[in-house]
Amino acid sequence: MARDGALYVCQACGAAQSKWAGQCAGCGAWNTLVEELTSRPPGALAPSRAAKGRGLAFEGLQDETPSPPRIATGVEEFDRVCGGGVVPGSAILLGGDPGVGKSTLLLQVAASAARRGAACAYISGEEAIEQIRSRARRMGLADAPVRLAAETALRDILDGLKREPLDLVVIDSIQTLWSDAHEAAPGSVTQVRAAAGELVRLAKTRGVAVILVGHVTKEGTIAGPRVIEHMVDAVLAFEGERGYPFRILRGAKNRFGATDEIGVFEMGDAGLAEVKNPSALFLNTSGERAAGAAVFAGIEGSRPVLVEFQALVAPSAYGTPRRAVVGWDSGRLAMVLAVLEARCGLGLGDRDVYLNVAGGLRISEPAADLAAAAALVSSALDQALPQDCVVFGEISLAGEVRSVSRMDARLKEAAKLGFRRALGPAELERQAGIAAAPVGRLADAIRRLRDEDWGDGDAGE
Ligand code: TYD
Ligand code: MG
């Protein structure tokens, strides 16, 4: 039996139970239950003497006072993902793997906003002041009027923030904060929730924008940022593939804007550089495109991005063929393989299949189906696509190639980067100097690939 007041809290999902178990009953994760001492279960209401509430004062939807303008931090890629700047009084959670560059990004954001006149503070619980200073020097930000503090005690941070009139506060990271009102260890669900709750309240009551850093961890010892996602107004994810300098900022939730925008950065010696025009970034422009490569003309957020899909279809050495995919959804790969087999008679069931999105980008658009299929077919037939060809289109289970959004923008971007033809849905029309190779069904696309029939009469115009 648990001791009085002891609760076992899952560090992955935050579910609490009175008995320890190897597996969390809430999310099914193993070895994530940790004892946390609390006087009452988190979230329970304090017992109140007055049984009667004060009642509600209802308000209309319309508001006479115009909302204050957003804080443009000046880091445009960041501002755009936030929905056009940071909303005063909002709370933003920035999640990401350790070492991806969260501290670097937010120091740049704070410095840039401070240079533009916003009152900014950067509170670090992870690094000493001297460390942050030397990083700022290296990044050429030392002269920015950012108020710097190294602190982990929540009470001191709240007191300090109440005294100072600020526009933007960065807390790096939420997992290092520690509240003396709770006995649980720093980084535990109880502490992380308490600290986030207090800071979000401070943001709302004082109109200061608060950006919280949250490490994403797989181990159960530190609570993941997921347990506070519902408290904040926006959740941003900072991603990067190991070995690539590119970092992508994505919105996962945003109460003040769309979530499909991405911000692209490149990590260098002087911090993160904004990549304003990422369309050519993920393309291998030098050298021949080999069999198994297909250039996808995609849309990320509001911007077109061209990226290379690379496939390798090889004889399998073992009984169970391997399927490995990087940068794309493995479920969608399975679907495309099934459609190739069932609708096009191209069975790859006994072969190893590898699919990779070049440059470390993660593609989630359904429009990439045809590009993945083209790369797979090209590798299976050992037949390269034309060098100047882009591909896009959604594939249905019936084997049709479906139309996708914003085809004109995709074609325009492809033309800008020197492409001259496009393989895509039947609705595809010649535009911006790009010859259309429309295909109604996936089988038609395979035929074009196999017979090298790209309708060149059209391209020569
Ligand atoms: P950091 O912002 O500390 O990551 P996080 O806060 O997400 O844990 O960045 C860590 C990595 O970034 C580190 O491995 C070094 C690299 N880096 C650069 O390459 N150039 C730079 O100018 C800076 C500041 C960091
Ligand atoms: Mg950090």
Side-chain angles (χ1 to χ4, degrees):
M1 188 58 213
R3 270 181 290 140
D4 206 24
L7 263 188
Y8 295 89
V9 182
C10 172
Q11 306 295 300
C13 73
Q17 44 203 72
S18 59
K19 267 194 248 164
W20 189 86
Q23 187 180 22
C24 169
C27 67
W30 287 92
N31 292 326
T32 53
L33 291 186
V34 170
E35 181 181 342
E36 293 188 6
L37 289 167
T38 45
S39 36
R40 71 184 105 94
L45 282 174
S48 138
R49 242 170 276 265
K52 246 176 150 193
R54 268 180 300 143
L56 287 171
F58 287 106
E59 310 230 5
L61 277 175
Q62 213 160 35
D63 183 9
E64 268 77 64
T65 49
S67 53
R70 293 179 181 234
I71 307 164
T73 66
V75 180
E76 280 171 36
E77 297 289 299
F78 179 83
D79 288 345
R80 206 189 37 255
V81 175
C82 290
V86 179
V87 174
S90 69
I92 298 172
L93 173 67
L94 177 73
D97 293 326
V100 73
K102 300 180 293 298
S103 306
T104 308
L105 174 67
L106 291 181
L107 188 59
Q108 270 174 257
V109 165
S112 170
R115 277 185 180 151
R116 295 166 137 245
C120 297
Y122 185 98
I123 301 172
S124 179
E126 311 210 322
E127 289 161 295
I129 298 275
E130 206 30 63
Q131 262 176 302
I132 303 167
R133 278 199 188 131
S134 83
R135 174 185 293 182
R137 260 197 303 277
R138 209 149 40 79
M139 288 160 57
L141 304 173
D143 61 319
V146 177
R147 296 161 172 80
L148 205 56
E151 186 56 72
T152 56
L154 182 64
R155 189 186 295 272
D156 293 344
I157 291 175
L158 291 171
D159 276 355
L161 293 180
K162 276 174 196 152
R163 234 170 280 149
E164 199 104 356
L166 290 166
D167 298 312
L168 180 76
V169 177
V170 174
I171 306 282
D172 187 4
S173 68
I174 188 75
Q175 280 124 337
T176 53
L177 298 195
W178 151 87
S179 151
D180 53 13
H182 301 267
E183 281 182 59
S188 63
V189 169
T190 306
Q191 288 285 5
V192 166
R193 268 200 197 138
E198 292 288 342
L199 287 163
V200 169
R201 188 158 13 185
L202 180 102
K204 300 279 174 258
T205 53
R206 308 193 66 91
V208 43
V210 173
I211 306 180
L212 307 172
V213 171
H215 294 296
V216 176
T217 56
K218 296 228 163 63
E219 314 83 58
T221 44
I222 305 180
R226 273 182 51 202
V227 298
I228 55 166
E229 276 181 2
H230 64 281
M231 296 183 191
V232 296
D233 299 305
V235 178
L236 310 180
F238 204 35
E239 307 168 348
E241 206 65 52
R242 219 165 272 280
Y244 291 104
F246 308 118
R247 302 283 181 268
I248 315 272
L249 185 67
R250 253 178 226 285
K253 155 184 171 178
N254 194 347
R255 287 184 184 147
F256 307 113
T259 54
D260 57 357
E261 285 291 354
I262 63 166
V264 184
F265 298 87
E266 190 172 355
M267 181 67 92
D269 290 335
L272 292 157
E274 293 183 67
V275 180
K276 296 266 163 63
N277 180 10
S279 59
L281 191 68
F282 304 100
L283 267 192
N284 170 19
T285 41
S286 61
E288 295 264 295
R289 231 173 289 290
V295 175
F296 168 52
I299 300 276
E300 287 288 338
S302 57
R303 292 181 299 184
V305 174
L306 269 64
V307 55
E308 190 178 84
F309 272 67
Q310 302 165 341
L312 179 63
V313 176
S316 183
Y318 305 99
T320 320
R322 284 202 55 147
R323 305 256 174 281
V325 50
V326 177
W328 204 47
D329 181 39
S330 57
R332 281 206 95 84
L333 172 65
M335 187 204 82
V336 167
L337 289 174
V339 173
L340 281 173
E341 168 137 31
R343 309 289 177 195
C344 312
L346 189 74
L348 303 175
D350 56 346
R351 314 246 228 132
D352 286 344
V353 173
Y354 303 93
L355 188 74
N356 177 38
V357 176
L361 195 65
R362 259 206 80 80
I363 300 288
S364 52
E365 248 196 307
D369 291 350
L370 189 62
L376 291 166
V377 172
S378 160
S379 176
L381 301 178
D382 195 22
Q383 175 90 50
L385 271 93
Q387 295 294 313
D388 58 357
C389 183
V390 294
V391 187
F392 53 85
E394 182 176 348
I395 296 173
S396 75
L397 284 178
E400 302 147 337
V401 177
R402 293 260 176 87
S403 182
V404 297
S405 64
R406 304 192 51 202
M407 292 202 274
D408 50 337
R410 296 173 201 265
L411 292 178
K412 247 186 231 145
E413 192 67 22
K416 223 196 287 171
L417 292 168
F419 290 85
R420 285 292 159 260
R421 65 185 100 207
L423 179 67
E427 292 81 359
L428 199 62
E429 278 170 19
R430 183 192 170 83
Q431 189 203 322
I434 299 254
V439 284
R441 309 187 61 81
L442 182 54
D444 302 338
I446 298 178
R447 206 164 304 126
R448 280 193 190 255
L449 249 167
R450 182 181 287 140
D451 305 341
E452 296 184 66
D453 169 19
W454 297 94
D456 274 345
D458 191 17
E461 275 173 37

